[in-house]
Structures are given as structure tokens and as C-alpha cells.
Amino acid sequence: MGPPNKPHSQVTVSDLINPATRDWDVSKIKLILPFYEEKILCFKPSLTGAPDKQVWLATKSGDYTTKSGYYTAVTRVETRQDIPTDNGFKWRSNVWNMQCAPKVKLFSWKLLKGAIPVGERLVQRRVPADPRCKRCGCSESILHLFFQCGFAQRVWHLAPLNTDMDFRGIIDLMSSWETLCSLKCLPPAGIISGSLTPWLFWSIWKARNKFVFEGHSASPEETLSGAIVLAREWNTEVKKEPLTGIRQLSAPVLTHPEATVIRSDAAWAPGSNIAGLGWVLLSHSGNQSFKVPLKSVASPLLAEGLALREAVRSCATLGLNYVAFESDSLNLIKAVKLEVTIAELYSVIADITSFASVFEFVSFSWISREKNVLADCLAKEALNVSDTLVVGDAFIAPN
Ligand SMILES: [Zn+2]
């Protein structure tokens, strides 16, 4: 953006929000950041004052995952240079598809890439550190720490592995990796699937850090049993996993006999970022329809969310007590029920939850598009009323 001018050098995002309406102060945006007006207005601030939240932009949920972090990093590197192929090392089968915890896979990858901050690596990277092994005083390289140091040798010697391999002879980790990971773990260690080897590396590294940073020196026996316990726990956890998925699917849908059913929908015009929001209250005494157009809406999903937010808000204003909201957007319903996290819906979901807290009974459920024709028509009508567009608190037109 370039340097700000003097009167606006201390301005923060909150200065662009009107504290009374909790929506953007358009006149201030026009004054301070005129070229970004549409971009800014596409972010919908929470109307109920939801707390700020940090989100990671490379995932839909806004939560950081090592996978997305890895792809982001790789994409950046790829645009600069070709990635060396590591002599055909099979990263997928040798590391990423290993039968062990994700944190251990990531650690193995770092280990193979030489990206573990051992003394020697730190000094090579000009970090002021002691390059010596804290246990024996030799230069602490990756090979020393994991194979050559007396401590590591003792761990490997004790490990219940079906081998008479001399681990001191390993001079290249990558070319020995497959052999190391295919070593069978002898009973009664209880490790049925997967290899004990990556857990041993993990445990040796943890023991080293505990010694270096906390002064606690675990014995080789403790280090080994730590690795076995973790591997065994992971084995049992993985076996339990499929059960939890089934429980979620069979959760019953609650209803209330007196509940008013409210169906909402949105129509969205991609080029102009204009949305039409529509919702209808179904009751025995007759239906009530609402529609409202809205500017600066960045996506159809956000439009669906804003339609539901308006529906919930209007029902709260009408003083209804028993309400059942329905939408044909499955992602939106999942997000409201907190089954999934969607970063772009954060403020909208927070508002829906906040507005809905006044009802004695409230439910949110998904319906098919065929069932949502009334709300769909209202939303489309609202989209066509383009000459009366307003931002934020738009007009509500009961039919
Ligand atoms: Zn040593």
C-alpha cells in the first residue's frame, strides 16, 4: 500500500468500524482507503461483537494443518527452483504412509531432510550454539546423536528388533531408512502394525531435548520403553477410531410441536457481488415472507449465511420462542451446528448463535432445494430490486 499519510499513520481496522452499528463506517473507508472500499465491505464484521480470531488462509476451516503448510511452502519453493528428487527416495511410502502418528511422520521427514537442530547443524547455520554432544562431548551431528553416541547405541541394542545390524555403520540415513523401518519388532512389545523405528528416533530426540533443556537424563531403558508405549498406544487408538464416526451420524434430530418453521435462502450475482436474501415463516395462521438485497457479498455460501442470520435476527425481534430454521445449504447447517469450521462464516455463525440464544427452543436443519422454493423465489426477487440497494441494515419488506 505504501506509507500512510500522517493523520492516518496510527489507524487500525477497528477505526473503520462504527461502534454503534458494529458495521463498517463507509465514509471513513472512502476517506482513508478509497481504492479498497469494495474489498473491505466484503468482509462482514460480527454484529454481536464476536471476539477476533486468527485464521490460516490456506485452509477452508482457517485452522493450520501441517499438510497445507507443507503445500504452501512447496508451492513457494517450486516457483523459484526445481525441487531436487532425493535420488528417487519414496517419500510417500517411506514417510507419509507410515503406520505412525502424524507428528512422528513430520519428525521423520525433518530428520531425513537434515532439518533437526542438532549442535552441528546449528553452528553450520551460524547460530551461536555449542556443537558438542551433551552426553559425550563429540560433535553432535544427526548420525552421532541417533547412531554413534553411546547412549543411542544402547537404545538400539536394547530394542526388541529382529536384527544383528551394527547401527554405528550407518553413514547415510536416507539410504538406510527403508531397511531400518522394515525391522520387525519382536513380541511381546505389542506393536502389531507399523514399525517401531520412527518411534525410536522420536524418543531419542525427546530424551536429548529433556537432557539439554531440563537437565533430566533419562536412561536408555526409559527412552526405549517410552517409544514402545507411544507406538502401542497409537496402535490401540487407531483400532478404536471407526466407532466414533458412526455415533455422530445417528444423532437424532430434535423437534418441538409448537415450533415455527423458518426457511431461508439466498441468490447471488457473482460479477457484482450482490446477494438477495429471502426467508419465510410457515405457520397455521398464514405465511410471512421477507426479502432483502445486500451489496458486497463475496460468495454464495456467505450469502446463505447472511440470509440465515437475518432470518434468526428477525425472529428474535418478532419475539418468537419456538423456532426451527431450515436451509438447503448443507455446509451452512454443519457450520451452525459446529460440525465443521468455515473461516469465511466465522462472524456470521457467531451472530446466529448469539441471536438464537433468546429462543426457548431452536433447531437448525438441512432441507432439499425442492422444499425451499418459497424462500428461493423471495431471494431471487430481492436480487432483482437493484435500484434500492443499501449496505448493512437493509430494508425488510413483508409480503
Ligand atoms: Zn554423544
Side-chain angles (χ1 to χ4, degrees):
M1 279 256 0
N5 51 20
K6 204 160 182 205
H8 300 136
S9 60
Q10 301 300 319
V11 166
T12 63
V13 175
S14 64
D15 293 313
L16 301 177
I17 294 174
N18 180 335
T21 63
R22 285 178 166 159
D23 208 341
W24 296 113
D25 186 331
V26 181
S27 57
K28 268 196 184 164
I29 294 173
K30 280 188 198 292
L31 180 73
I32 301 169
L33 293 162
F35 301 113
Y36 293 84
E37 184 185 337
E38 180 59 16
K39 227 175 172 173
I40 294 170
L41 293 179
C42 276
F43 291 101
K44 299 296 177 198
S46 164
L47 303 175
T48 57
D52 286 346
K53 185 187 171 186
Q54 276 193 328
V55 299
W56 166 249
L57 295 177
T59 57
K60 212 178 154 191
S61 69
D63 296 329
Y64 178 81
T65 63
T66 45
K67 194 175 169 185
S68 69
Y70 173 73
Y71 282 124
T72 306
V74 164
T75 318
R76 295 230 172 123
V77 172
E78 268 176 350
T79 55
R80 273 183 294 155
Q81 62 186 60
D82 289 325
I83 301 173
T85 54
D86 295 322
N87 289 324
F89 184 79
K90 296 179 210 125
W91 286 103
R92 194 174 286 271
S93 58
N94 285 336
V95 177
W96 303 118
N97 289 348
M98 281 197 302
Q99 303 272 316
C100 66
K103 63 179 180 187
V104 178
K105 289 182 196 177
L106 189 74
F107 175 75
S108 303
W109 171 68
K110 281 165 79 176
L111 185 64
L112 285 156
K113 285 282 186 186
I116 302 294
V118 291
E120 204 181 86
R121 298 290 296 165
L122 288 175
V123 170
Q124 279 167 0
R125 289 177 164 253
R126 295 171 205 283
V127 178
D130 183 357
R132 288 171 304 173
C133 171
K134 302 296 169 297
R135 295 189 199 272
C136 68
C138 291
S139 177
E140 192 192 45
S141 64
I142 286 180
L143 289 177
H144 173 83
L145 178 67
F146 291 96
F147 299 111
Q148 291 151 3
C149 185
F151 181 87
Q153 279 179 43
R154 188 86 192 119
V155 176
W156 288 108
H157 177 74
L158 291 164
L161 296 169
N162 184 19
T163 180
D164 49 8
M165 192 168 169
D166 185 354
F167 294 91
R168 285 171 301 177
I170 291 170
I171 47 158
D172 178 52
L173 187 56
M174 209 174 257
S175 55
S176 318
W177 185 260
E178 262 188 84
T179 316
L180 286 167
C181 288
S182 62
L183 295 174
K184 287 272 167 294
C185 190
L186 299 168
I191 292 134
I192 313 121
S193 55
S195 166
L196 179 62
T197 309
W199 296 98
L200 282 170
F201 285 118
W202 171 261
S203 201
I204 291 172
W205 177 245
K206 290 278 140 184
R208 179 263 186 199
N209 289 340
K210 221 164 173 148
F211 186 44
V212 171
F213 299 113
E214 295 169 32
H216 172 79
S217 176
S219 67
E221 288 81 3
E222 285 167 332
T223 306
L224 170 65
S225 70
I228 294 174
V229 166
L230 286 174
R232 203 188 287 158
E233 270 176 13
W234 190 82
N235 262 269
T236 16
E237 280 306 307
V238 168
K239 265 186 252 141
K240 275 193 239 156
E241 225 167 334
L243 292 171
T244 51
I246 298 162
R247 195 170 43 80
Q248 278 186 343
L249 280 173
S250 57
V253 179
L254 292 167
T255 50
H256 190 283
E258 288 170 48
T260 306
V261 173
I262 302 100
R263 290 180 181 157
S264 66
D265 204 359
W268 183 69
S272 59
N273 280 351
I274 296 171
L277 318 179
W279 64 102
V280 56
L281 276 65
L282 308 172
S283 68
H284 306 296
S285 48
N287 300 344
Q288 269 182 287
S289 306
F290 301 83
K291 59 184 175 185
V292 48
L294 197 62
K295 273 208 280 189
S296 309
V297 178
S299 78
L301 180 60
L302 190 61
E304 294 277 2
L306 291 164
L308 183 59
R309 181 173 81 173
E310 285 313 307
V312 175
R313 178 154 73 157
S314 72
C315 288
T317 315
L318 288 169
L320 298 179
N321 271 330
Y322 308 102
V323 281
F325 293 95
E326 298 179 340
S327 160
D328 59 43
S329 169
L330 187 60
N331 277 331
L332 174 64
I333 294 299
K334 280 186 173 174
V336 175
K337 290 176 158 184
L338 306 177
E339 286 168 15
V340 294
T341 314
I342 301 170
E344 74 165 322
L345 289 179
Y346 170 70
S347 61
V348 173
I349 299 294
D351 289 348
I352 289 173
T353 312
S354 176
F355 289 137
S357 62
V358 302
F359 304 122
E360 270 179 57
F361 171 85
V362 60
S363 68
F364 296 94
S365 36
W366 176 82
I367 51 164
S368 65
R369 293 183 79 135
E370 292 73 39
K371 276 192 168 177
N372 210 17
V373 179
L374 277 176
D376 179 55
C377 288
L378 289 165
K380 282 182 180 141
E381 278 173 34
L383 192 60
N384 291 330
V385 199
S386 48
D387 51 340
T388 51
L389 285 174
V390 279
V391 179
D393 268 314
F395 75 90
I396 290 174
N399 271 8

